[in-house]
Amino acid sequence: MGRRRVLLDVDTGVDDALALMLAIRSPELEVLGITTVSGNVPVARSTANTLLALEMLGASTIPVVAGAAAPLARALFTAAEVHGSDGLGDVTHRYPAPLRQATRGAAEFLLQMIHRHPGGLTLIATGPLTNVATAIQRDAGAMRRLQGLTVMGGAIRVSGNVGPTTEFNFAVDPEAAAIVLGAGLPLTLVPLDVTEQVILSRKMVDEAGSAGTLQGFIREMTAVTMAFHRDHEGFDGMFLHDPLAVGVVVDPSLVRGQPMAVAIERRGELTAGMAVADLRRRSQAAPTATVCVEVEAARFLRLFQERVLQ
Ligand code: RIB
Ligand code: CA
């Protein structure tokens, strides 16, 4: 089977950077382009971080296109406490500034690429869905020609991570998440229910292969995020939220998916961005996504270690 052509839409932060590494080092995938969005950090930073990660990977020919600076209808809030103020563990100052500039116009780029590869393109979104929703608003018919859309976001049967019921990507831009969940796209949702089962320990990073540039970069870049998890989650490591979304595309057998009718709360004072799944046995609601409900965590971590930490 040929390589799967993918685009990634990212808010590069630390786990997005690790997801890019897994995608680019997975022979099953051909990364045709990356779009960036505000989320963990403002889009100027997520774009610079994406360019830096690609340079560290020797993948500087992959197009990077900057997108939305703010959510569709709300003020942006970021996650500097988790990812560092620069979005990559506050270590980017130790590395040369990226050699190239990104272009702009993420939504247009996504649509152009779909027109170029009708039915043969998978989009992996690991940040707030502002760019994806904008592309749907511009040409929903084109977006439905995606071979697949895999989204890291939401919390179905577990607590949220920015609120009791809300996950960060959907909470930053609930309006965008609602548009994406309601657009009838071939959507696979990778929620906290499974991403919080895949933990990269500091021990794994410390034991990583030769302390070459990439290994040193990973070790430095993850320190702030791991300290946050140590202080707030009780373990010395970090959840691999975004790398699992890539892993699901690399090897779908890593997860078990369940069709669900999922919609996004937008008006709740405490629940804006909540992914509301209709789990009632008698529900007649049509499914809107295939939700990953189980993951073979150990097998995914082995894949991640072999491809990123070696
Ligand atoms: O809730 C986790 C998600 O929010 C991850 O994608 C992380 O990078 C942040 O964007
Ligand atoms: Ca992300």
Side-chain angles (χ1 to χ4, degrees):
M1 194 166 103
R3 299 174 74 190
R4 188 147 187 182
R5 292 177 168 146
V6 301
L7 297 173
L8 289 108
D9 186 73
V10 296
D11 63 332
T12 306
V14 175
D15 61 326
D16 302 75
L18 295 172
L20 290 171
M21 294 174 192
L22 179 60
I24 288 159
R25 289 184 148 197
S26 290
E28 300 87 349
L29 306 183
E30 182 185 5
V31 179
L32 295 183
I34 299 165
T35 51
T36 59
V37 69
S38 283
N40 287 319
V41 284
V43 66
R45 271 309 327 159
S46 65
T47 304
N49 292 341
T50 299
L51 292 167
L52 174 58
L54 291 177
E55 285 184 11
M56 302 299 289
L57 288 158
S60 294
T61 57
I62 296 176
V64 175
V65 183
L72 292 182
R74 297 169 191 253
L76 173 68
F77 63 88
T78 61
E81 71 282 6
V82 182
H83 298 266
S85 55
D86 69 353
L88 288 185
D90 292 326
V91 302
T92 54
H93 65 281
R94 301 177 194 164
Y95 294 83
L99 296 172
R100 63 174 170 141
Q101 297 290 316
T103 57
R104 300 195 56 74
E108 294 79 5
F109 177 76
L110 293 175
L111 292 169
Q112 283 165 9
M113 294 300 284
I114 292 169
H115 285 303
R116 198 176 301 170
H117 304 279
L121 207 51
T122 296
L123 174 58
I124 304 170
T126 64
L129 293 171
T130 318
N131 293 337
V132 181
T134 302
I136 291 169
Q137 289 175 318
R138 297 231 167 99
D139 189 344
M143 291 296 281
R144 288 192 196 101
R145 287 199 289 276
L146 278 168
Q147 183 177 11
L149 170 61
T150 299
V151 168
M152 191 279 133
I156 303 299
R157 293 189 175 93
V158 298
S159 299
N161 58 5
V162 285
T165 64
T166 49
E167 176 277 327
F168 179 82
N169 287 336
F170 286 6
V172 166
D173 199 339
E175 284 70 26
I179 288 169
V180 173
L181 268 290
L185 273 63
L187 175 58
T188 298
L189 192 58
V190 186
L192 296 181
D193 304 59
V194 288
T195 66
E196 290 188 340
Q197 296 184 48
V198 289
I199 291 175
L200 176 68
S201 69
R202 189 189 301 272
K203 184 170 179 288
M204 287 174 181
V205 172
D206 289 347
E207 289 170 352
S210 68
T213 310
L214 187 66
Q215 301 310 333
F217 178 57
I218 292 172
R219 199 168 295 126
E220 290 180 343
M221 166 184 84
T222 55
V224 165
T225 305
M226 290 192 172
F228 177 89
H229 285 73
R230 185 194 59 225
D231 299 344
H232 298 274
E233 299 284 352
F235 62 84
D236 200 0
M238 62 177 283
F239 295 126
L240 289 178
H241 301 296
D242 298 341
L244 183 58
V246 170
V248 168
V249 179
V250 169
D251 181 355
S253 74
L254 284 167
V255 293
R256 182 171 72 83
Q258 180 180 337
M260 285 188 194
V262 182
I264 305 295
E265 171 59 58
R266 281 165 288 164
R267 288 192 285 274
E269 187 182 338
L270 303 174
T271 56
M274 177 179 176
V276 181
D278 188 345
L279 301 176
R280 293 172 294 175
R281 280 187 300 280
R282 65 180 183 280
S283 168
Q284 301 299 314
T288 57
T290 298
V291 178
C292 299
V293 295
E294 289 173 5
V295 58
E296 291 188 40
R299 188 156 69 90
F300 169 71
L301 287 171
R302 278 197 300 277
L303 176 83
F304 183 81
Q305 283 181 289
E306 285 158 11
R307 297 191 177 185
V308 177
L309 298 183
Q310 300 303 324

